[in-house]
Amino acid sequence: MSQLPILPDTNPSRAVLDSFRISIAKRLSETLPLTLEQAFAGVDYGKKGEDFTVALPRFRLPGKVAEIAATVLEGFQPDEWIESIVIDRSFLHFRVNTTNMIFQVLNQVDALTHLTPSGQPEYGSNNFGKGKRVVIEYSSPNIVKEFHLGHLRSTIIGAFLANLYKACGWEFGMVATGYEKYGSQAEFDQDPIMHLYNVYVKVTKDLETDPKVKVEAARWFKRMEDGDEDVLKKWRGWRETSLEKYQEAYDQLNIKFDVYTGESNVSKESMDKAFAQLEDMGLISDRDFAKEVDLNKWNLKAPIVRKTDGTSTYLTRDIGGAIERYEQYKFDKMIYVVGAAQDFHLAQVFKVLERMGFPWAKNLLHINYGMVQGMSTRKGTAVFLDQIIKKAGNVMHEQMKKNNEKYAVIQDPQATSLEIGITGIKIQDMAAKRFNPQLLPLPPTSQIATHTLAQYPNAREIAFLLGTYPDVVNVALKTHEPSGVVTFAFKLAHAISTAWDRVIVKGEEDVEKASAKMFLYECAKEVLAAAMHLLSIRPLERM
């Protein structure tokens, strides 16, 4: 096999399609006045059945496009990398060598899934973030409130980002962050979170008609900040109970945190220190006996950093919390996964930290999202996560019962239906197929005749898709969007189901061909599992 040049920011040992792209770039740089780097930047994945496409006008070369295209094609001979080049107006479509591509992709998927030094699947991962640290704050249900659907979006997106940064070599930390009138110890003991939630709804309703409730709430909050042990003891008990309940929800969602903390854990010392620094820098001014920071120059108004009674605000606590996080983790990036309703607030937080002179303030990032409509904990209209999961699980269980043959081989139908329900909640639906077990275990990969797959267009489509997965991960790291990974998973699941009655394993009399087909499906299963893990979904062996 011919030697290819090495290009920065490429890694054929972990993303084998880089080799094919480098080969295309090499031909372009040898036939056109382009550097290898310039040529490589112009090689994009194709559409509508094309492997790779180059848009010639992007290079802004002198001469007619047709003549430039003819120069690239002149003297072309198919090799182990490129099978054919087709001129399509101002585009060049490159089709890679099918046999070599299938062999290279499947062997890389297999090796990086089963033969890694870590013993863990690594296909799609990279080390681009090696030596860097990221802190991701997400989920953040409020203490003494049930985990509801409104928290789910932050939780799923945050978990995806944590998995994504970990897959790209980053070192990371994940942070999750009226009783006297309506409280009942008996009801609290029976269902603590639901009881506290009901108390919250009742007190909030009182707030609409009785201004004294707000005054009483402020008095309780001040007692907390002043270190009143009676109040803090109650709060610690509620917090511990809440965390136990939330951890049950996180376990169901296949999500784990390094640290459970929140604004109530931000120390008064940190907030006081930040406030003193703002005062020393002359950034604080008075407003009706409260204290504010003027951000009008940046169209961010003048947020209050200390109330008239001397207590902190959300802004003060978030500033103190960010400082504590940096002092503890020395992060290279910190991501807040919070709804779009907090856009303005976090812009204020970031700007205040920037004005305080912290160089790391530029590395704070807000990943926002739209909120679930029609839900309010204050009004008591929230839909709770455990109710949704149970309902989805019951629906899937009833559906599974309709196929007696498959139902009989499932070891734990209840747990399986629940897991499928959770997956459905996360990304609608994903289909999986059972494979023919008689060929397992497969022979060593060196003995598998992957060249026999080249005759099947569907096998080629699957193999090429598998090869694109490392790039899907890289793009997701740039956009912070899980949708690209979801789209990839759906494409792969669709490609598998489409191939099922064309690249047939069961009934294939040629054992060599059957093993190669089985190897293709096994690799596809592993990459689909990798994408699902990235989305914090547990893959199922049978369903």
Side-chain angles (χ1 to χ4, degrees), residues 431-433 435 458 461-462 465-466 489-503 520-521 523-528:
K433 296 280 186 178
F435 297 117
N458 294 93
E461 181 189 3
I462 291 172
L465 256 178
L466 301 183
F490 275 122
K491 274 186 183 176
L492 181 53
H494 177 71
I496 294 167
S497 63
T498 303
W500 201 246
D501 58 356
R502 298 171 191 178
V503 187
L520 172 75
Y521 288 122
C523 288
K525 182 183 80 167
E526 297 295 354
V527 178
L528 186 58

Side-chain angles (χ1 to χ4, degrees), residues 248-265:
E248 291 175 14
Y250 292 132
D251 286 343
Q252 284 187 308
L253 293 170
N254 191 29
I255 288 168
K256 294 178 176 63
F257 291 94
D258 297 325
V259 181
Y260 288 91
T261 187
E263 66 174 66
S264 61
N265 289 93

Side-chain angles (χ1 to χ4, degrees), residues 76-376:
F76 169 74
Q77 292 293 325
D79 58 19
E80 70 267 39
W81 302 109
I82 306 301
E83 201 166 83
S84 65
I85 308 174
V86 176
I87 300 176
D88 177 13
R89 292 168 296 180
S90 58
F91 299 94
L92 287 176
H93 299 308
F94 291 79
R95 186 175 179 85
V96 302
N97 182 299
T98 299
T99 303
N100 186 34
M101 181 271 293
I102 292 174
F103 173 80
Q104 296 279 352
V105 169
L106 297 189
N107 277 273
Q108 186 172 80
V109 170
D110 182 69
L112 290 178
T113 300
H114 302 292
L115 304 174
T116 59
S118 68
Q120 298 297 315
E122 293 180 11
Y123 184 65
S125 66
N126 59 64
N127 292 318
F128 294 149
K130 189 175 181 180
K132 296 179 181 177
R133 179 175 293 179
V134 63
V135 173
I136 305 175
E137 298 213 10
Y138 66 101
S139 190
S140 304
N142 293 331
I143 297 300
V144 311
K145 292 186 192 175
E146 188 84 20
F147 194 112
H148 62 66
L149 194 59
H151 301 124
L152 190 61
R153 199 162 286 169
S154 170
T155 304
I156 290 173
I157 295 170
F160 164 74
L161 292 176
N163 293 338
L164 180 64
Y165 273 84
K166 184 178 182 181
C168 294
W170 286 68
E171 181 185 335
F172 68 99
M174 300 177 293
V175 184
T177 143
Y179 191 75
E180 289 181 328
K181 185 174 181 182
Y182 294 111
S184 159
Q185 190 62 43
E187 290 182 35
F188 179 87
D189 292 341
Q190 188 174 356
D191 191 345
I193 301 299
M194 184 56 74
H195 175 57
L196 292 171
Y197 168 72
N198 290 332
V199 169
Y200 173 78
V201 172
K202 289 174 183 176
V203 171
T204 303
K205 194 172 182 181
D206 287 349
L207 188 61
E208 296 173 3
T209 56
D210 186 357
K212 292 179 182 177
V213 175
K214 188 172 184 179
V215 174
E216 183 64 15
R219 186 180 68 82
W220 263 75
F221 184 68
K222 181 163 174 54
R223 286 173 64 189
M224 280 183 66
E225 287 214 330
D226 290 344
D228 186 319
E229 190 53 39
D230 288 340
V231 177
L232 290 173
K233 187 177 179 181
K234 275 193 175 70
W235 180 257
R236 282 193 289 266
W238 294 339
R239 182 181 184 277
E240 189 176 332
T241 302
S242 298
L243 285 180
E244 287 175 6
K245 186 75 173 178
Y246 297 151
Q247 284 175 34
E248 291 175 14
Y250 292 132
D251 286 343
Q252 284 187 308
L253 293 170
N254 191 29
I255 288 168
K256 294 178 176 63
F257 291 94
D258 297 325
V259 181
Y260 288 91
T261 187
E263 66 174 66
S264 61
N265 289 93
V266 178
S267 70
K268 190 170 187 300
E269 181 186 359
S270 291
M271 291 186 285
D272 288 344
K273 188 177 176 182
F275 183 81
Q277 186 173 338
L278 285 165
E279 277 198 316
D280 291 343
M281 297 176 74
L283 299 176
I284 285 183
S285 54
D286 293 325
R287 188 212 297 178
D288 299 329
F289 301 104
K291 303 290 184 181
E292 67 179 18
V293 176
D294 186 2
L295 301 178
N296 284 295
K297 181 180 175 182
W298 297 275
N299 297 316
L300 293 172
K301 299 185 177 178
I304 298 290
V305 290
R306 183 162 287 180
K307 298 176 190 174
T308 54
D309 63 359
T311 56
S312 61
T313 63
Y314 281 119
L315 189 86
T316 324
R317 294 194 288 281
D318 282 343
I319 290 167
I323 295 169
E324 282 187 355
R325 297 277 189 278
Y326 186 76
E327 289 175 349
Q328 183 175 359
Y329 297 108
K330 296 294 187 290
F331 55 76
D332 295 281
K333 182 186 290 187
M334 183 157 78
I335 301 172
Y336 296 79
V337 185
V338 186
Q342 299 299 317
D343 283 0
F344 193 74
H345 168 73
L346 282 174
Q348 290 178 323
V349 172
F350 296 173
K351 182 54 70 176
V352 170
L353 288 164
E354 183 187 314
R355 292 198 70 194
M356 292 174 76
F358 293 113
W360 48 262
K362 67 180 184 298
N363 299 325
L364 301 176
L365 179 63
H366 176 204
I367 300 295
N368 62 5
Y369 53 88
M371 300 302 291
V372 178
Q373 298 298 313
M375 290 220 331
S376 169

